[in-house]
Amino acid sequence: IRYDESSRLVKSLSGNMAALGHVLGETSAKTAQASTFGPFSPYAGMTRLQPDRSGLSYVPQDLRALFVGAAEKFSVSAGLLARIAQTESGFNPDALSPKGAQGIMQLMPGTARDMGVDDPFNANQSIFGGARYIRELLDRFAGDVEKALLAYNWGPGNVTSWIDRGSDPAQVPEESRSYVARVMAPEPSIAQFVKSIQLARLTDIAG
């Protein structure tokens, strides 16, 4: 690898490390854990960094305590709850989908009632109801986050039938595949950091 290429690469990685530190907020980059993307992710086959999102810096400040409280009550990740809300409604408590899903967590009326939600447009009730629902789905699908998210979007009955048929990703509706990918995808700076590492490896090999 030539000196000028090495220098440029080091600077690029340094910048991405700074971005990574910003995303992790108060936590250290050491809390990031490596895993791989599932079949529904556009990054399938890549290594993913999963930061501790306890800072929730991307969440509106008035909602952060609600996500943390709901996460603690139902033993789920506050970051996962926040990413669901971000993907479902953009953190809009008044969101209403064409299919009738309501509130920040976009619960269908029947699901909202089952989760003890009286007012789906109340942020507190919606977040706690959504947390209870994703907890139930995680338990139902043996802790598999991607299957739980798929069930959140597509319906648990559909996911169970899909598993019984062999779990072929091609049989999942495009909307649901996209939904899981968006929730599970890393923050933009994380994705760029991962790609930079891969570029470094490829450049070194080609060197």
Side-chain angles (χ1 to χ4, degrees), residues 134-205:
I134 195 65
R135 175 72 267 165
E136 291 188 3
L137 294 174
L138 285 166
D139 291 342
R140 178 167 178 169
F141 296 103
D144 189 314
V145 176
E146 290 192 344
K147 287 187 175 68
L149 289 172
L150 188 61
Y152 196 101
N153 178 265
W154 193 23
N158 288 329
V159 175
T160 298
S161 297
W162 169 70
I163 293 172
D164 291 341
R165 295 193 304 270
S167 305
D168 180 1
Q171 295 178 352
V172 176
E174 175 59 31
E175 176 189 348
S176 297
R177 281 185 287 171
S178 174
Y179 172 82
V180 174
R182 282 182 287 131
V183 174
M184 295 293 289
E187 296 293 333
S189 54
I190 295 289
Q192 185 58 45
F193 176 70
V194 172
K195 290 177 181 178
S196 294
I197 292 175
Q198 292 185 327
L199 174 62
R201 291 173 178 168
L202 289 173
T203 304
D204 187 55
I205 292 171

Side-chain angles (χ1 to χ4, degrees), residues 101-120:
Q102 302 169 319
I104 285 180
M105 302 302 285
Q106 287 291 277
L107 299 172
M108 294 298 287
T111 301
R113 287 193 297 270
D114 291 344
M115 297 302 110
V117 176
D118 296 321
D119 180 3

Side-chain angles (χ1 to χ4, degrees), residues 13-185:
L13 288 174
S14 297
N16 281 306
M17 280 297 292
L20 176 61
H22 175 72
V23 171
L24 295 178
E26 297 178 355
T27 62
S28 166
K30 293 180 181 179
T31 63
Q33 299 176 341
S35 66
T36 57
F37 290 101
F40 303 111
S41 173
Y43 300 94
M46 289 175 58
T47 297
R48 171 174 67 217
L49 295 179
Q50 293 180 314
D52 175 355
R53 299 180 188 278
S54 57
L56 301 180
S57 60
Y58 58 97
V59 177
Q61 189 169 359
D62 60 328
L63 298 177
R64 293 175 193 172
L66 296 180
F67 284 110
V68 172
E72 291 177 349
K73 180 173 181 178
F74 295 103
S75 299
V76 296
S77 163
L80 177 62
L81 293 180
R83 288 300 294 266
I84 291 172
Q86 184 182 43
T87 303
E88 290 280 0
S89 69
F91 300 115
N92 179 7
D94 300 317
L96 178 64
S97 79
K99 295 182 179 179
Q102 302 169 319
I104 285 180
M105 302 302 285
Q106 287 291 277
L107 299 172
M108 294 298 287
T111 301
R113 287 193 297 270
D114 291 344
M115 297 302 110
V117 176
D118 296 321
D119 180 3
F121 297 107
N122 177 283
N124 182 77
Q125 291 190 37
S126 182
I127 291 171
F128 274 76
R132 178 179 172 184
Y133 188 41
I134 195 65
R135 175 72 267 165
E136 291 188 3
L137 294 174
L138 285 166
D139 291 342
R140 178 167 178 169
F141 296 103
D144 189 314
V145 176
E146 290 192 344
K147 287 187 175 68
L149 289 172
L150 188 61
Y152 196 101
N153 178 265
W154 193 23
N158 288 329
V159 175
T160 298
S161 297
W162 169 70
I163 293 172
D164 291 341
R165 295 193 304 270
S167 305
D168 180 1
Q171 295 178 352
V172 176
E174 175 59 31
E175 176 189 348
S176 297
R177 281 185 287 171
S178 174
Y179 172 82
V180 174
R182 282 182 287 131
V183 174
M184 295 293 289

